[in-house]
Protein backbone atom coordinates (compact mmCIF):
# COMPACT_ATOMS: atom_id res chain seq x y z
CA UNK A 1 0.00 0.00 0.00
CA UNK A 2 1.05 3.55 -0.69
CA UNK A 3 0.73 6.98 0.89
CA UNK A 4 -2.11 7.75 -1.55
CA UNK A 5 -4.29 5.23 0.34
CA UNK A 6 -3.91 7.32 3.48
CA UNK A 7 -4.55 10.58 1.66
CA UNK A 8 -8.01 9.36 0.58
CA UNK A 9 -9.11 9.66 4.21
CA UNK A 10 -7.47 13.06 4.85
CA UNK A 11 -8.82 16.54 4.45
CA UNK A 12 -7.92 17.97 1.06
CA UNK A 13 -6.86 21.35 2.44
CA UNK A 14 -3.51 21.04 4.15
CA UNK A 15 -2.83 23.75 6.71
CA UNK A 16 0.50 25.44 6.06
CA UNK A 17 2.75 28.12 7.48
CA UNK A 18 4.46 30.95 5.65
CA UNK A 19 8.17 31.53 6.25
CA UNK A 20 7.43 35.18 7.08
CA UNK A 21 4.86 34.47 9.82
CA UNK A 22 5.78 35.00 13.43
CA UNK A 23 6.46 31.95 15.54
CA UNK A 24 3.80 33.17 17.97
CA UNK A 25 1.09 33.18 15.29
CA UNK A 26 1.97 29.70 14.07
CA UNK A 27 2.06 28.30 17.61
CA UNK A 28 -1.48 29.63 18.07
CA UNK A 29 -2.58 27.88 14.86
CA UNK A 30 -1.00 24.61 15.97
CA UNK A 31 -2.86 24.88 19.27
CA UNK A 32 -6.20 25.87 17.74
CA UNK A 33 -6.08 22.91 15.35
CA UNK A 34 -4.61 20.48 17.89
CA UNK A 35 -1.80 19.48 15.53
CA UNK A 36 1.93 19.05 16.01
CA UNK A 37 3.44 20.43 12.81
CA UNK A 38 2.87 22.45 9.66
CA UNK A 39 4.67 22.35 6.34
CA UNK A 40 6.25 25.72 5.55
CA UNK A 41 5.39 26.80 2.03
CA UNK A 42 6.82 29.58 -0.12
CA UNK A 43 4.88 29.91 -3.36
CA UNK A 44 4.15 26.28 -4.22
CA UNK A 45 7.38 24.89 -2.76
CA UNK A 46 7.63 23.19 0.62
CA UNK A 47 10.76 24.69 2.12
CA UNK A 48 10.61 23.30 5.64
CA UNK A 49 8.52 22.06 8.53
CA UNK A 50 7.65 23.88 11.73
CA UNK A 51 6.92 21.47 14.58
CA UNK A 52 6.60 21.17 18.31
CA UNK A 53 10.24 20.12 18.39
CA UNK A 54 11.23 23.44 16.79
CA UNK A 55 9.30 25.23 19.52
CA UNK A 56 11.10 23.34 22.31
CA UNK A 57 14.54 23.94 20.76
CA UNK A 58 13.72 27.59 20.06
CA UNK A 59 12.62 28.35 23.60
CA UNK A 60 15.65 26.54 25.01
CA UNK A 61 18.01 28.59 22.81
CA UNK A 62 16.31 32.00 22.74
CA UNK A 63 13.94 32.16 25.69
CA UNK A 64 10.84 34.36 25.33
CA UNK A 65 12.38 36.24 22.38
CA UNK A 66 11.80 33.10 20.33
CA UNK A 67 8.12 34.02 19.99
CA UNK A 68 8.99 37.14 18.00
CA UNK A 69 11.14 35.32 15.42
CA UNK A 70 9.86 34.26 12.02
CA UNK A 71 9.14 30.70 11.02
CA UNK A 72 11.96 30.92 8.44
CA UNK A 73 14.42 31.59 11.28
CA UNK A 74 13.35 28.55 13.27
CA UNK A 75 11.90 25.85 10.99
CA UNK A 76 13.53 22.54 10.18
CA UNK A 77 14.81 22.73 6.62
CA UNK A 78 14.96 21.32 4.09
CA UNK A 79 11.79 19.30 4.43
CA UNK A 80 12.02 15.58 3.86
CA UNK A 81 9.15 14.68 1.54
CA UNK A 82 7.51 11.68 -0.09
CA UNK A 83 5.40 11.10 -3.19
CA UNK A 84 1.88 9.63 -3.14
CA UNK A 85 3.34 6.46 -4.71
CA UNK A 86 5.72 5.89 -1.79
CA UNK A 87 5.06 2.61 0.01
CA UNK A 88 3.77 3.05 3.54
CA UNK A 89 6.49 0.78 4.96
CA UNK A 90 9.14 2.82 3.13
CA UNK A 91 7.73 6.04 4.60
CA UNK A 92 7.71 4.50 8.09
CA UNK A 93 11.30 3.39 7.65
CA UNK A 94 12.31 6.87 6.48
CA UNK A 95 10.62 8.46 9.47
CA UNK A 96 12.33 6.08 11.87
CA UNK A 97 15.77 6.54 10.32
CA UNK A 98 15.50 10.33 10.18
CA UNK A 99 13.72 10.57 13.56
CA UNK A 100 10.86 12.65 12.18
CA UNK A 101 7.11 12.45 12.71
CA UNK A 102 5.67 14.31 9.71
CA UNK A 103 6.07 14.09 5.94
CA UNK A 104 4.79 16.49 3.30
CA UNK A 105 3.45 14.60 0.29
CA UNK A 106 4.55 16.16 -3.01
CA UNK A 107 3.23 15.51 -6.52
CA UNK A 108 4.32 17.54 -9.56
CA UNK A 109 6.23 19.91 -7.25
CA UNK A 110 3.06 20.77 -5.31
CA UNK A 111 1.94 19.88 -1.78
CA UNK A 112 -0.91 17.35 -1.99
CA UNK A 113 -0.95 16.07 1.59
CA UNK A 114 0.74 15.89 4.97
CA UNK A 115 0.99 12.65 6.94
CA UNK A 116 2.14 11.87 10.44
CA UNK A 117 3.73 8.75 11.79
CA UNK A 118 0.46 8.21 13.67
CA UNK A 119 -1.46 8.17 10.37
CA UNK A 120 0.88 5.54 8.95
CA UNK A 121 0.89 3.34 12.06
CA UNK A 122 -2.91 3.51 12.34
CA UNK A 123 -3.33 2.51 8.71
CA UNK A 124 -0.85 -0.35 9.08
CA UNK A 125 -2.56 -1.68 12.22
CA UNK A 126 -5.98 -1.55 10.54
CA UNK A 127 -4.58 -3.45 7.54
CA UNK A 128 -3.02 -6.13 9.77
CA UNK A 129 -6.26 -6.51 11.76
CA UNK A 130 -8.25 -6.91 8.52
CA UNK A 131 -5.82 -9.55 7.25
CA UNK A 132 -5.94 -11.41 10.59
CA UNK A 133 -9.76 -11.42 10.55
CA UNK A 134 -9.76 -12.77 7.00
CA UNK A 135 -7.37 -15.55 8.03
CA UNK A 136 -9.52 -16.44 11.04
CA UNK A 137 -12.59 -16.60 8.79
CA UNK A 138 -10.74 -18.74 6.26
CA UNK A 139 -9.52 -21.15 8.95
CA UNK A 140 -12.94 -21.44 10.58
CA UNK A 141 -14.52 -22.34 7.22
CA UNK A 142 -11.99 -25.12 6.54
Amino acid sequence: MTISAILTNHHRNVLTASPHESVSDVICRLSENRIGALPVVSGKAVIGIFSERDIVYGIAQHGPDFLTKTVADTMTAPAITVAPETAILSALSLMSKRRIRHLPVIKDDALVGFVSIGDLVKYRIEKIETEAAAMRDYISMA
Side-chain angles (χ1 to χ4, degrees), residues 117-138:
I117 197 163
D119 297 327
L120 303 182
V121 169
K122 179 182 176 211
Y123 184 85
R124 187 73 183 123
I125 289 171
E126 289 171 356
K127 186 81 171 150
I128 290 169
E129 287 174 350
T130 300
E131 291 170 1
M135 288 295 271
R136 282 191 297 273
D137 291 345
Y138 177 76

Side-chain angles (χ1 to χ4, degrees), residues 11-18 21 29-35 37-41 50 111 113-114:
H11 299 288
R12 291 287 176 202
N13 293 337
V14 177
L15 297 175
T16 63
S18 163
E21 284 185 90
R29 197 156 63 253
L30 290 171
S31 176
E32 289 166 1
N33 290 284
R34 301 183 54 81
I35 55 178
L38 290 170
V40 181
V41 177
F50 184 80
L111 180 67
F114 194 57

Side-chain angles (χ1 to χ4, degrees), residues 67-78:
L67 297 174
T68 63
K69 295 192 175 293
T70 66
V71 170
D73 294 333
T74 60
M75 68 184 179
T76 299

Side-chain angles (χ1 to χ4, degrees), residues 1-115:
M1 285 305 202
T2 63
I3 295 295
S4 61
I6 292 174
L7 294 181
T8 60
N9 297 327
H10 269 72
H11 299 288
R12 291 287 176 202
N13 293 337
V14 177
L15 297 175
T16 63
S18 163
H20 307 294
E21 284 185 90
S22 74
V23 165
S24 179
D25 288 345
V26 176
I27 289 173
C28 288
R29 197 156 63 253
L30 290 171
S31 176
E32 289 166 1
N33 290 284
R34 301 183 54 81
I35 55 178
L38 290 170
V40 181
V41 177
S42 179
K44 289 177 63 177
V46 175
I47 60 170
I49 293 180
F50 184 80
S51 72
E52 296 163 326
R53 190 176 291 167
D54 296 313
I55 297 166
V56 170
Y57 293 157
I59 291 173
Q61 289 179 339
H62 304 286
D65 292 337
F66 172 70
L67 297 174
T68 63
K69 295 192 175 293
T70 66
V71 170
D73 294 333
T74 60
M75 68 184 179
T76 299
I80 298 166
T81 64
V82 293
E85 304 81 31
T86 303
I88 290 172
L89 290 178
S90 294
L92 279 168
S93 175
L94 174 65
M95 292 171 114
S96 294
K97 287 177 187 170
R98 298 300 300 264
R99 299 180 53 89
I100 57 175
R101 296 178 302 183
H102 300 88
L103 288 170
V105 183
I106 306 296
K107 181 177 181 178
D108 299 327
D109 297 324
L111 180 67
V112 296
F114 194 57
V115 295

